[in-house]
Amino acid sequence: MTPLPLPAPDPRICRGLADDLRDARYRSATVRAAWGEIADDAIARGLRFPAERALGGRTDALAVLARLFTLGMPQPADLVAAALPRTGGAGIVEVGLAQAEGDSIRPLALIRPQAFADETGDGEWWVASDLDEAALGGPLPEDHVLGVGGASLTLAALQLPTPARRGLDVGTGCGIQALRARQNIDDVVATDISVRALRFAELNALLNGVDGIELRAGSLFEPVAGELFDRIASNPPFVITPRVAGVPAYEYRDGGMLGDDLVAAFVRGVGAHLEPGGVAQLLGNWETRDGVDGLDRVRGWVEASAVPLDAWVIQRELLDPLAYAELWIRDGGTVPGDPEFARLAQAWLDDFADRKVEAVGFGYILLRRPLAGAPALARYERVGEARTGAGLGRHLADALAAHDALAALDDDGLAASVLQVSPDVTEARHHLPGEDAPSVIELRQGGGLGRTITADPALAALVGASDGDLSVGALIDAIAELLEVDAAALRADVLPGVRELVFTGFLSITG
């Protein structure tokens, strides 16, 4: 495959292109409306013909740009010129987004509108990236720069929304995390080992009118040696790839290390680049290997850090070796039935067998360099089917604040506190047929991570009565009297559950 030219970001052309896209109403909602939800879902699965069919013979600016930049289809040069009156076909050719072929303009990159929501409301970016499998008509090149995928959106939603002075995006790719970070952080350094990725990141910053992002080339923390940051975010190339000939090593997902060594290196090294109180957030894979649980291995990486770190690690998924191999072989554009699929799958399974890997976990890692004398946080948990989307970053920030507040309260202090149940909490009671008392009481969280926690009758009663009026101690005394049990014993039994519910956001301390 002939290598595609590097993007050549130009501030003037990018400003004009942004104005053209805006005037054409080239937004995620309008594009989706143009071809419908079914076609939009098909694009996410690499199928573009439903969208092509829905657009039919339309030649308006929105339809032309949707074909050109969302589907990656060549368009007549005169229609492109009409759709981009400031930029024209010559402008997008000059910045390396397209090339002229006779009377047509052939895209060399995608520019897809990407909607997002945060605490300030709804927003939208235009995100340029390399052509996908559907546009290329085959597997991706190894230097492919990925657009915005599910993992990218998850990490963007996880980023803490509280203000900070200086941030770092390690492995920026197309730059989506750097764009997200700049909404709350004054200055951001974005790094990547791929010059191609850095060019796309620069172009995307210009296209969206975002300043304050400094781009640097290099691996992991090499470009920021000796520097400290208040926030660090990374969607690193964490995919576990066999280190054998014939297996593609895609730059956007493969860090070139064995197994989960790249995530381990990040966790062990990030503390040296955090200011006291600074927070690092990343996505990652970890192996359950030779009988050692993956989360226990992550705990070992944290403990190996030369700088003590708080850790909150959430395992969201666990895949067996074959399912993991299939996921990433498909991601590279090779599907079952292709002769290459079986060969690649065998390479993955051989690699896992050599290291006695039984399963691979995926999830979120939050690390914090504690302030002097601050209480330690060490939480490693499995949260299956955890919700994603807007509000997660605020939930994590609130949980960190709740941890610090709880650590400052002994049991007497917690008993003297007044709590308020969160408005998104509901309760479900399950009864055996013919019995009045519930056999199971579940507290369910509509926001946050969407947790479901099983509670005993006393804890459920306390949650139900937590309306910001009476103290925890007063509520426990009343519940003890109602249940005809010893109040001191009930307090000892209930308070650990109260602490968990405050940390996880079911309850909040109001006084």
Side-chain angles (χ1 to χ4, degrees), residues 12-25:
R12 179 187 59 82
I13 294 175
C14 287
R15 283 194 299 270
L17 178 56
D19 289 339
D20 285 338
L21 296 176
R22 189 175 297 107
D23 287 351
R25 297 179 61 246

Side-chain angles (χ1 to χ4, degrees), residues 316-341:
R316 181 180 162 189
E317 297 178 39
L318 188 68
L319 295 178
D320 64 67
L322 181 57
Y324 187 88
E326 182 176 0
L327 171 67
W328 294 110
I329 296 170
R330 285 177 176 270
D331 179 78
T334 304
V335 297
D338 187 316
E340 276 292 281
F341 189 91

Side-chain angles (χ1 to χ4, degrees), residues 275-489:
E275 293 276 8
V279 171
Q281 296 175 269
L282 69 148
L283 306 181
N285 280 155
W286 40 84
E287 298 175 339
T288 291
R289 185 192 298 174
D290 199 15
V292 180
D293 185 88
L295 284 178
D296 289 335
R297 296 185 63 247
V298 178
R299 186 191 300 269
W301 303 339
V302 173
E303 293 173 350
S305 170
V307 176
L309 292 172
D310 288 338
W312 184 6
V313 182
I314 298 171
Q315 180 169 287
R316 181 180 162 189
E317 297 178 39
L318 188 68
L319 295 178
D320 64 67
L322 181 57
Y324 187 88
E326 182 176 0
L327 171 67
W328 294 110
I329 296 170
R330 285 177 176 270
D331 179 78
T334 304
V335 297
D338 187 316
E340 276 292 281
F341 189 91
R343 184 186 68 80
L344 292 171
Q346 187 62 56
W348 248 279
L349 294 180
D350 289 346
D351 177 60
F352 284 137
D354 287 345
R355 286 177 289 107
K356 300 181 180 178
V357 174
E358 302 151 27
V360 181
F362 166 79
Y364 324 138
I365 300 176
L366 185 152
L367 305 168
R368 181 173 64 170
R369 183 172 182 173
L371 297 168
L377 170 64
R379 187 179 179 96
Y380 299 81
E381 59 180 326
R382 296 168 177 82
V383 182
E385 299 301 320
R387 64 176 294 274
T388 59
L392 272 183
R394 170 55 58 185
H395 173 72
L396 297 183
D398 289 346
L400 291 178
H403 168 267
D404 296 344
L406 288 167
L409 295 173
D410 59 15
D411 282 353
D412 289 339
L414 182 57
S417 300
V418 177
L419 304 180
Q420 178 77 51
V421 63
S422 297
D424 64 325
V425 172
T426 57
E427 180 187 283
R429 293 181 175 238
H430 303 272
H431 298 256
L432 292 173
E435 294 194 2
D436 293 331
S439 56
V440 177
I441 303 174
E442 291 179 333
L443 301 174
R444 296 174 178 171
Q445 183 180 52
L449 289 167
R451 298 174 186 267
T452 296
I453 292 180
T454 301
D456 60 28
L459 184 59
L462 186 143
V463 171
S466 294
D467 57 4
D469 186 14
L470 298 176
S471 69
V472 173
L475 291 176
I476 291 176
D477 289 343
I479 295 168
E481 183 176 353
L482 181 66
L483 296 178
E484 299 180 343
V485 298
D486 179 71

